[in-house]
Amino acid sequence: MCVAILDFGSQYSHLIVRRIRGLGYNAFLLPPSTTYSQLRKLSVKAVILSGGPQDAYIQGSLRVDHKILDSELPLLGICYGHQLLTIQSDGLVERGEKAEYGIADVKINNKNSLFRGIKTDSIQVWMSHSDKVQSPPKTAKVLASSATDMYTALEFTPTRFSVQFHPEVSHTEFGLNILSNFMELTKCEKNWNPSQIYTDIHNSLLGKEGNILMAVSGGVDSTVAAALINEIYPDNLYCVYVDTGLMRDGETEYVKSVFNKLHINHLFIVEAQDLFLSRLKGVKDPEQKRKIIGQTFIEIFVDESKKLEKQFGNFSYLGQGTIYPDRVESSFDKDGNSKVIKSHHNVGGLPDYLPFDLIEPLKELYKDEVREIGKRLKLDEEFLSRQPFPGPGLAVRILGTIDEEKLNIVRKADKILHEELKRNNLIEKAWQFYAALLPIKTVGVKGDARSYENSIVIRIIDSIDGMTADIIDLPKKEAVRISSRIVNEIDGVNRVFYDITQKPPATIELE
Ligand code: XMP
């Protein structure tokens, strides 16, 4: 490992990892309590302290291991990390008179080291803080300041810096230059690239003996993982796809054709539509829906594995398309203690009694990195640019209770949206899009008659990896065409909303 990002709970911690990897360096998130000796064992060569929601001046707030500070390791503190480097030396951090959120102008006083190569004297940066450094450690040099903050960037030693703003956020001008300047001052090598990643994964898969059972969803992650495993163990890989009945139009047929092209020898389709629908009958609560789906999925999967074992012999491994954000919890509650873990993904929480070892070839990668690996495996570009689809499927896109009629409405609306975005080439701008059914009826007029019918909401977002998202510009003409088609072609729908909320604060899915 090269760079450790100690995660103090910022919503941008994953983004720091993304940026550093984007610069070609190997980077991972680690908990804030990580010690110097743990970093040594992992051969970490540089550390970045992330932002976080706590107040650094309050006793008991999160701290970085002092041995890390006493070491020679290059360090970059960002936001809370900036305040920690100050307060854990002999500096002072206090609540500022005014909080600073959003864009701020910062004057650069020193264009060596961190701001090297930046030609302008002043840059716009992304701020998100209410506390600030009131007095920096005596030996620190001030590199930059803003109108409300004299100590916006500090240099502690030739390889140790901190900034109050967020260089990882795209709104910060020259943010990547700043991160790159820091990285160039470390001893890290640039070896994080698709070719090296592919070789590492391939090597890590060698030497397995026995059959591999793999749950596949038709999504990019599990398909790329299956393709990787299939390269080495084509005769031992047994893929199981469960049709939950909560899929988009034509999904199961599509999955069959993709796996066919990949020359995956054993694909088993389990038809479980009725079981899922009966268990979900009358259930409104989003978390309960997710739990029922997760549990039912596991039951079916275990049953199926038993059947397959009788036919093909024991399974030694369970393959999964888990990716990095599925595993790494990255946010803290307000007290900075417990971590919030997303309740979604993959096989939805495996029971302890499964007698398999896990094979998760993509577990260190983000979605866009998975797509790069997919390209190396010669998977279709169109398939790889496929948008993600949540494990619980259309169940989280029908707010309230689920039934066959509602599923049909959502499927039709989703299909129309897909066709329209493809027709007007907006599909390339959309990282993900979908139609969902709202649990409200509204009044309309169809023909000359009053109608009182269902509402559809459409969401079209751009993103890099689903952790933050922006809405795309939907031209009025296209928006109207989509809504007209949905209202005209689907019985029982008379209104279409467009979701204009970014993530954060909203999530991508509605439930
Ligand atoms: P949220 O709604 O958390 O979604 O902003 C982020 C990304 O994850 C997808 N998603 C899921 N994927 N199982 C999955 O495999 C799930 O339960 C699940 N829930 C959300 C979502 O579509 C988006 O791409």
Side-chain angles (χ1 to χ4, degrees), residues 117-163:
I118 298 177
K119 299 268 182 310
T120 55
D121 293 336
S122 158
I123 56 172
Q124 291 201 322
V125 301
W126 184 256
M127 291 282 196
S128 176
H129 68 116
S130 42
D131 303 340
K132 68 179 189 185
V133 172
Q134 295 290 0
S135 137
K138 288 187 200 77
T139 52
K141 281 192 223 163
V142 181
L143 301 183
S145 42
S146 78
T148 54
D149 177 11
M150 281 167 66
Y151 310 114
T152 299
L154 299 172
E155 177 176 321
F156 298 81
T157 71
T159 57
R160 186 165 296 184
F161 307 89
S162 68
V163 288

Side-chain angles (χ1 to χ4, degrees), residues 11-208:
Q11 56 176 315
Y12 302 125
S13 298
H14 269 293
L15 205 51
I16 305 174
V17 183
R18 299 294 304 113
R19 297 286 183 246
I20 301 295
R21 287 188 183 185
L23 290 168
Y25 302 95
N26 188 348
F28 288 91
L29 278 184
L30 289 174
S33 54
T34 306
T35 61
Y36 177 62
S37 65
Q38 287 169 325
L39 295 182
R40 286 291 302 266
K41 277 190 202 134
L42 294 166
S43 310
V44 165
K45 297 200 178 66
V47 178
I48 296 180
L49 311 176
S50 83
Q54 294 199 331
D55 297 314
Y57 53 83
I58 288 179
Q59 233 193 350
S61 57
L62 292 166
R63 290 286 181 262
V64 62
D65 177 13
H66 244 295
K67 287 199 180 130
I68 298 177
L69 300 180
D70 296 341
S71 76
E72 293 293 305
L73 276 173
L75 275 176
L76 173 66
I78 295 176
C79 197
Y80 185 77
H82 166 70
Q83 296 165 11
L84 273 187
L85 284 183
T86 296
I87 214 159
Q88 289 193 246
S89 308
D90 53 359
L92 189 67
V93 173
E94 282 177 353
R95 178 157 292 268
E97 278 155 34
K98 257 184 163 178
E100 248 187 324
Y101 293 108
I103 298 287
D105 285 316
V106 160
K107 192 168 160 303
I108 304 172
N109 310 323
N110 182 325
K111 289 197 191 149
N112 301 321
S113 59
L114 212 53
F115 296 99
R116 212 170 51 250
I118 298 177
K119 299 268 182 310
T120 55
D121 293 336
S122 158
I123 56 172
Q124 291 201 322
V125 301
W126 184 256
M127 291 282 196
S128 176
H129 68 116
S130 42
D131 303 340
K132 68 179 189 185
V133 172
Q134 295 290 0
S135 137
K138 288 187 200 77
T139 52
K141 281 192 223 163
V142 181
L143 301 183
S145 42
S146 78
T148 54
D149 177 11
M150 281 167 66
Y151 310 114
T152 299
L154 299 172
E155 177 176 321
F156 298 81
T157 71
T159 57
R160 186 165 296 184
F161 307 89
S162 68
V163 288
Q164 180 57 69
F165 58 88
H166 289 271
E168 71 278 21
V169 170
S170 59
H171 308 300
T172 295
E173 285 180 324
F174 304 104
L176 263 188
N177 294 50
I178 294 166
L179 292 173
S180 169
N181 284 341
F182 169 68
M183 289 309 303
E184 278 173 18
L185 294 168
T186 69
K187 295 201 173 97
C188 294
E189 280 169 38
K190 283 195 179 185
N191 56 9
W192 190 258
N193 56 63
S195 151
Q196 187 62 45
I197 298 170
Y198 170 80
T199 309
D200 290 350
I201 293 178
H202 189 89
N203 292 342
S204 75
L205 287 174
L206 297 173
K208 313 261 184 235

Side-chain angles (χ1 to χ4, degrees), residues 217 221 290 326 342-348 367 387-393 396-397 431-432 434 459 461 463 465-469 503 506-511:
S217 66
D221 303 341
R290 282 177 176 273
D326 303 343
K342 285 189 174 185
S343 67
H344 49 77
H345 278 297
N346 299 321
V347 189
K367 190 100 196 170
Q387 46 164 326
F389 186 63
V396 290
R397 294 181 180 173
W431 189 83
Q432 189 169 12
Y434 64 82
R459 186 138 169 78
I461 55 116
S463 178
D465 40 35
M467 281 172 294
T468 57
K503 172 182 179 175
T507 53
I508 294 175
E509 301 294 340
L510 300 184
E511 287 192 336

Side-chain angles (χ1 to χ4, degrees), residues 481-496:
R481 209 182 134 95
I482 293 168
S483 75
S484 309
R485 276 199 64 192
I486 290 179
V487 167
N488 289 332
E489 293 176 31
I490 308 176
D491 283 343
V493 177
N494 70 352
R495 195 173 292 267
V496 179

Side-chain angles (χ1 to χ4, degrees), residues 281-343:
K281 198 164 178 214
V283 180
K284 273 192 194 155
D285 178 68
E287 271 307 297
Q288 215 191 331
K289 280 184 194 173
R290 282 177 176 273
K291 277 193 194 124
I292 291 172
I293 294 167
Q295 276 158 13
T296 308
F297 188 89
I298 292 291
E299 273 174 45
I300 294 174
F301 189 68
V302 171
D303 276 1
E304 196 59 24
S305 71
K306 284 185 187 146
K307 280 188 216 155
L308 293 176
E309 256 177 10
K310 282 190 195 136
Q311 217 177 328
F312 303 106
N314 278 358
F315 289 103
S316 314
Y317 299 98
L318 178 71
Q320 286 207 95
T322 317
I323 63 171
Y324 195 51
D326 303 343
R327 292 193 305 133
V328 178
E329 317 113 305
S330 75
S331 46
F332 293 78
D333 65 14
K334 287 211 173 63
D335 303 323
N337 299 317
S338 63
K339 290 181 170 186
V340 181
I341 304 170
K342 285 189 174 185
S343 67

